[in-house]
PDB file of all heavy atoms in Angstrom:
ATOM      1  N   GLU Z  45      98.793  89.334  87.306  1.00 98.00           N
ATOM      2  CA  GLU Z  45      97.609  90.148  87.018  1.00 98.00           C
ATOM      3  C   GLU Z  45      98.017  91.303  86.093  1.00 98.00           C
ATOM      4  O   GLU Z  45      99.146  91.794  86.174  1.00 98.00           O
ATOM      5  CB  GLU Z  45      97.039  90.759  88.303  1.00 98.00           C
ATOM      6  CG  GLU Z  45      96.546  89.770  89.325  1.00 98.00           C
ATOM      7  CD  GLU Z  45      95.169  89.226  88.973  1.00 98.00           C
ATOM      8  OE1 GLU Z  45      94.462  89.842  88.146  1.00 98.00           O
ATOM      9  OE2 GLU Z  45      94.805  88.182  89.530  1.00 98.00           O
ATOM     10  N   ASP Z  88     102.463  87.458  91.388  1.00 98.00           N
ATOM     11  CA  ASP Z  88     102.810  88.876  91.571  1.00 98.00           C
ATOM     12  C   ASP Z  88     103.549  89.158  92.878  1.00 98.00           C
ATOM     13  O   ASP Z  88     103.668  90.321  93.288  1.00 98.00           O
ATOM     14  CB  ASP Z  88     101.522  89.718  91.544  1.00 98.00           C
ATOM     15  CG  ASP Z  88     101.015  89.946  90.139  1.00 98.00           C
ATOM     16  OD1 ASP Z  88     101.780  90.487  89.320  1.00 98.00           O
ATOM     17  OD2 ASP Z  88      99.861  89.594  89.851  1.00 98.00           O
ATOM     18  N   GLU Z  93     105.060  96.068  97.595  1.00 98.00           N
ATOM     19  CA  GLU Z  93     104.483  97.363  97.992  1.00 98.00           C
ATOM     20  C   GLU Z  93     102.978  97.277  98.237  1.00 98.00           C
ATOM     21  O   GLU Z  93     102.436  97.968  99.120  1.00 98.00           O
ATOM     22  CB  GLU Z  93     104.725  98.408  96.892  1.00 98.00           C
ATOM     23  CG  GLU Z  93     103.973  99.696  97.124  1.00 98.00           C
ATOM     24  CD  GLU Z  93     104.218 100.729  96.051  1.00 98.00           C
ATOM     25  OE1 GLU Z  93     103.907 100.479  94.868  1.00 98.00           O
ATOM     26  OE2 GLU Z  93     104.726 101.797  96.396  1.00 98.00           O
ATOM     27  N   ASP Z  94     102.313  96.431  97.455  1.00 98.00           N
ATOM     28  CA  ASP Z  94     100.852  96.394  97.537  1.00 98.00           C
ATOM     29  C   ASP Z  94     100.324  95.758  98.810  1.00 98.00           C
ATOM     30  O   ASP Z  94      99.142  95.868  99.120  1.00 98.00           O
ATOM     31  CB  ASP Z  94     100.290  95.680  96.301  1.00 98.00           C
ATOM     32  CG  ASP Z  94     100.563  96.486  95.051  1.00 98.00           C
ATOM     33  OD1 ASP Z  94     100.382  97.716  95.098  1.00 98.00           O
ATOM     34  OD2 ASP Z  94     100.987  95.900  94.041  1.00 98.00           O
ATOM     35  N   ARG Z 113      96.012  87.860  94.745  1.00 98.00           N
ATOM     36  CA  ARG Z 113      97.122  88.466  95.481  1.00 98.00           C
ATOM     37  C   ARG Z 113      96.901  88.488  97.003  1.00 98.00           C
ATOM     38  O   ARG Z 113      97.787  88.880  97.743  1.00 98.00           O
ATOM     39  CB  ARG Z 113      97.383  89.884  94.956  1.00 98.00           C
ATOM     40  CG  ARG Z 113      97.717  89.909  93.450  1.00 98.00           C
ATOM     41  CD  ARG Z 113      98.411  91.187  93.048  1.00 98.00           C
ATOM     42  NE  ARG Z 113      99.619  91.374  93.840  1.00 98.00           N
ATOM     43  CZ  ARG Z 113     100.326  92.495  93.871  1.00 98.00           C
ATOM     44  NH1 ARG Z 113      99.953  93.512  93.132  1.00 98.00           N
ATOM     45  NH2 ARG Z 113     101.407  92.593  94.619  1.00 98.00           N
ATOM     46  N   ARG Z 158      91.491  98.544  92.283  1.00 98.00           N
ATOM     47  CA  ARG Z 158      91.988  97.681  93.359  1.00 98.00           C
ATOM     48  C   ARG Z 158      91.637  98.212  94.750  1.00 98.00           C
ATOM     49  O   ARG Z 158      91.551  97.431  95.704  1.00 98.00           O
ATOM     50  CB  ARG Z 158      93.509  97.530  93.254  1.00 98.00           C
ATOM     51  CG  ARG Z 158      94.011  96.957  91.940  1.00 98.00           C
ATOM     52  CD  ARG Z 158      93.695  95.485  91.795  1.00 98.00           C
ATOM     53  NE  ARG Z 158      94.097  94.970  90.498  1.00 98.00           N
ATOM     54  CZ  ARG Z 158      95.336  94.576  90.208  1.00 98.00           C
ATOM     55  NH1 ARG Z 158      96.274  94.652  91.126  1.00 98.00           N
ATOM     56  NH2 ARG Z 158      95.611  94.128  89.008  1.00 98.00           N
ATOM     57  N   ALA Z 269     104.937  93.326  83.716  1.00 98.00           N
ATOM     58  CA  ALA Z 269     103.883  92.872  84.648  1.00 98.00           C
ATOM     59  C   ALA Z 269     103.183  94.064  85.293  1.00 98.00           C
ATOM     60  O   ALA Z 269     102.460  93.910  86.284  1.00 98.00           O
ATOM     61  CB  ALA Z 269     104.482  91.962  85.711  1.00 98.00           C
ATOM     62  N   CYS Z 275     106.999  99.521  93.491  1.00 98.00           N
ATOM     63  CA  CYS Z 275     106.241  98.287  93.735  1.00 98.00           C
ATOM     64  C   CYS Z 275     107.077  97.167  94.349  1.00 98.00           C
ATOM     65  O   CYS Z 275     106.528  96.285  95.004  1.00 98.00           O
ATOM     66  CB  CYS Z 275     105.652  97.765  92.426  1.00 98.00           C
ATOM     67  SG  CYS Z 275     104.951  99.037  91.398  1.00 98.00           S
TER      68      CYS Z 275
HETATM   69  C1  LIG E  22      99.132  93.626  89.520  1.00 74.98           C
HETATM   70  O1  LIG E  22      98.401  93.809  88.544  1.00 74.98           O
HETATM   71  O2  LIG E  22      98.703  93.602  90.673  1.00 74.98           O
HETATM   72  C2  LIG E  22     100.606  93.402  89.267  1.00 74.98           C
HETATM   73  N1  LIG E  22     100.795  92.719  88.033  1.00 74.98           N
HETATM   74  C3  LIG E  22     101.344  94.705  89.252  1.00 74.98           C
HETATM   75  C4  LIG E  22     101.351  95.386  90.588  1.00 74.98           C
HETATM   76  C5  LIG E  22     102.231  96.589  90.606  1.00 74.98           C
HETATM   77  N2  LIG E  22     102.264  97.160  91.891  1.00 74.98           N
HETATM   78  C6  LIG E  22     102.280  98.459  92.139  1.00 74.98           C
HETATM   79  O3  LIG E  22     102.180  99.260  91.234  1.00 74.98           O
HETATM   80  N3  LIG E  22     102.359  98.843  93.391  1.00 74.98           N
END
Side-chain angles (χ1 to χ4, degrees):
E45 297 281 342
D88 281 303
E93 171 180 61
D94 294 317
R113 301 199 57 191
R158 302 289 176 83
C275 317

